[in-house]
Amino acid sequence: MDDSPLGAVEGSNSLPAEDLVMPDRDAEHRGRTRDRALLRTLGAGAGLQIATVGGAVLSLPFVTRSLSSSEYGVLATVTGFVALLGFADLGVGAALTSRLAEAMGRDDPAGPEAVVSTAFAAAALAAGTVLAVGGVATVVTPWQTLLGAPSISTATLRLCILCLVLSTAVSIVG
């Protein structure tokens, strides 16, 4: 018997065929599918950002011509709140991403469903909280004084703030 490594591979001491590492064709397919989904998501996100910024830039001349300086100041202030309230989901979206990846990696079919349903419930709770607090704040806050816009009616300012609250709550869940 040959004691060389080559003899071990060629002789009766070689590994059985089932122990040889074969490429996992399913894993390669899942990887390609995941890569395509990632590229589609990145493309859609970039397209959405471009459309949002483009729409704002294109609408700016029309908005500035039709609003008084007080009304435009209120609009600028309220849209600034939109950026601040983007964090109102309390990190549910970020947590969902990592937990969903873990659940899908375990090959447990019920795992991703449980993670998504839990995240949806948490997002719905956050959205409900925004609606409740925002609804009360819409009614009890002296918006004319706070925003420095005494020329704008209280009803108009409340409607503006209510739209902000509703859109924030919808964006948390959606």
Side-chain angles (χ1 to χ4, degrees), residues 31-56:
R32 282 193 303 272
T33 302
R34 186 176 45 246
D35 291 345
R36 282 193 300 269
L38 176 65
L39 288 174
R40 278 195 308 267
T41 302
L42 288 173
L48 179 63
Q49 291 295 324
I50 290 169
T52 301
V53 171

Side-chain angles (χ1 to χ4, degrees), residues 3-81:
D3 288 333
S4 72
L6 185 56
V9 172
E10 292 175 356
S12 63
N13 293 337
S14 64
L15 295 173
E18 61 267 6
D19 287 347
L20 294 175
V21 176
M22 299 298 288
D24 186 358
R25 304 251 185 251
D26 272 349
E28 289 176 18
H29 177 69
R30 284 193 310 266
R32 282 193 303 272
T33 302
R34 186 176 45 246
D35 291 345
R36 282 193 300 269
L38 176 65
L39 288 174
R40 278 195 308 267
T41 302
L42 288 173
L48 179 63
Q49 291 295 324
I50 290 169
T52 301
V53 171
V57 168
L58 290 174
S59 67
L60 189 60
F62 302 107
V63 171
T64 55
R65 285 188 201 121
S66 63
L67 297 177
S68 68
S69 59
S70 294
E71 292 168 335
Y72 185 76
V74 168
L75 176 67
T77 303
V78 169
T79 54
F81 277 122

Side-chain angles (χ1 to χ4, degrees), residues 62-153:
F62 302 107
V63 171
T64 55
R65 285 188 201 121
S66 63
L67 297 177
S68 68
S69 59
S70 294
E71 292 168 335
Y72 185 76
V74 168
L75 176 67
T77 303
V78 169
T79 54
F81 277 122
V82 170
L84 295 175
L85 293 175
F87 301 104
D89 77 336
L90 306 175
V92 171
L96 173 63
T97 303
S98 62
R99 302 288 179 164
L100 190 57
E102 290 173 12
M104 292 181 80
R106 288 191 302 261
D107 288 333
D108 176 18
E113 292 176 11
V115 169
V116 170
S117 64
T118 302
F120 182 77
L125 181 65
T129 303
V130 166
L131 282 174
V133 172
V136 170
T138 298
V139 175
V140 301
T141 304
W143 293 108
Q144 287 177 317
T145 305
L146 185 67
L147 295 172
S151 62
I152 304 173
S153 72

